[in-house]
Amino acid sequence: MRLLVVEDDKDLNRQIAEALTRAGYAVDRAFDGEEGWFLGDTEPYDAVVLDLGLPKKDGVAVLADWRRAGRAMPVLILTARDRWGEKVRGFDAGADDYVTKPFHMEEILARLRALMRRAAGHASSVFSCGPVTLDARAGRVAIDDNVVKLTSHEYRLLSYLMHHQGKVVSRAEIVEHLYDQDFDRDSNTIEVFVGRLRRKLGVDVIQTVRGLGYVLAPPAAKDDRPLASRSDPGA
Ligand code: CA
C-alpha cells in the first residue's frame, strides 16, 4: 500500500513519513499544495494525509480539485484544534476523516488503517484468505496460527492483494502500489517477489492469471468424494 503525506512543516512531514514507513507502507512526501495536488492527481495512492494550511495552494482547494477530477482515494486531513470551521470545509471538500494537531502518531496510523480497509469494503483490520491471515494493526502475517516472517516489500505486496482479494491485479498496478516515487521500479521484479511470497506462505493463494496479473483467492477445495459419485459430463 502506498501513501502520500502533504505537510509543509518539514519535521512533522518527516515524522509522519517515518512512522508510516515503519508501519510497512511506501510513502511519498510533498511540502506545498501545488506539489501535493500534482502527486495526488497523477499517482494512484491508497490514502493521503493532507494538511489544510499549505503554501501555494490551500489544502481544501487541493482536495476539492482532486474530487472534481474524480480522484476517490481516502483522504485524512490535519487541522488545528481550535479551527472547527476548517474541519467543516474539509469534509465539504471531500475529506474522509480528520485528526487535530497536536496528535499521537498512533491515531494517524489507526485512522489510515480504518480508511483503507473501509475503502476495500472490509469491516475488520484482520484480513484472511484461506489459512492466511494478515493483521494490519500488528503488521503480522500467519498461516493458521504460525507467524510467517516477510520483508517489508513482501508484506506490502500481500497487504495490497488482501485489500483487493478476488480481483485481478496487474503487475503494473502492483508496481505502483509497492514502491514510492523515488524507487527504481521494474515490473519484472514483481514475478520474483510473488515467487518468494508464494514460497514463504507455502499455500496456494496467489494465482497467476495469464496475460493479466495475479489474483488472491482461497485455495481450491479438494474434491474428497469417491470417484464414482463425481458427475462426469463426458460419460
Ligand atoms: Ca501547515
Side-chain angles (χ1 to χ4, degrees):
M1 306 293 269
R2 183 178 169 204
L3 310 180
L4 172 65
V5 177
V6 190
E7 165 61 71
D8 58 314
D9 180 325
K10 287 203 168 60
D11 283 338
L12 188 55
N13 188 313
R14 179 181 46 78
Q15 286 166 23
I16 298 171
E18 282 175 1
L20 296 179
T21 305
R22 271 198 303 276
Y25 303 106
V27 183
D28 287 343
R29 306 162 70 193
F31 299 89
D32 65 60
E34 273 178 15
E35 188 189 13
W37 167 79
F38 177 76
L39 285 174
D41 198 54
T42 51
E43 300 289 329
Y45 294 106
D46 295 296
V48 177
V49 178
L50 177 69
D51 182 33
L52 291 187
L54 291 169
K56 295 192 187 173
K57 189 176 172 103
D58 175 56
V60 171
V62 170
L63 183 51
D65 281 357
W66 282 339
R67 296 313 193 212
R68 209 170 292 129
R71 300 268 152 202
M73 67 285 199
V75 174
L76 174 71
I77 54 174
L78 304 179
T79 68
R81 185 164 295 281
D82 50 348
R83 307 271 292 278
W84 65 268
E86 235 181 27
K87 277 176 225 164
V88 175
R89 286 196 304 131
F91 277 114
D92 283 343
D96 298 279
D97 201 358
Y98 74 92
V99 168
T100 49
K101 296 179 184 178
F103 50 79
H104 291 282
M105 211 55 82
E106 273 306 314
E107 185 177 358
I108 297 254
L109 290 169
R111 289 187 181 278
L112 285 172
R113 277 194 303 270
L115 288 177
M116 286 187 275
R117 69 169 160 73
R118 283 206 297 267
H122 284 260
S124 149
S125 59
V126 179
F127 294 80
S128 63
C129 178
V132 184
T133 56
L134 182 144
D135 182 341
R137 207 171 135 254
R140 179 176 167 277
V141 172
I143 307 291
D144 295 319
D145 281 322
N146 306 310
V147 173
V148 181
K149 274 213 172 283
L150 299 180
T151 65
S152 61
H153 279 117
E154 289 160 359
Y155 177 83
R156 227 177 263 167
L157 170 60
L158 183 62
S159 176
Y160 189 76
L161 292 172
M162 280 285 192
H163 278 79
H164 298 85
Q165 196 172 152
K167 292 180 201 141
V168 178
V169 176
S170 73
R171 247 178 248 151
E173 186 179 341
I174 292 173
V175 168
E176 286 188 318
H177 291 269
L178 206 57
Y179 304 117
D180 58 64
Q181 59 170 345
D182 298 329
F183 201 90
D184 187 14
R185 300 168 187 195
D186 178 0
S187 65
N188 292 322
T189 59
I190 296 302
E191 261 175 274
V192 178
F193 272 129
V194 169
R196 231 180 273 160
L197 185 56
R198 275 181 177 142
R199 277 195 297 282
K200 283 198 185 175
L201 295 177
V203 287
D204 192 19
V205 291
I206 306 172
Q207 271 101 51
T208 302
V209 183
R210 277 190 68 181
L212 293 176
Y214 303 97
V215 64
L216 187 79
K222 284 201 185 71
D223 193 342
D224 291 331
R225 286 173 300 156
L227 272 173
S229 68
R230 293 183 193 176
S231 63
D232 182 356

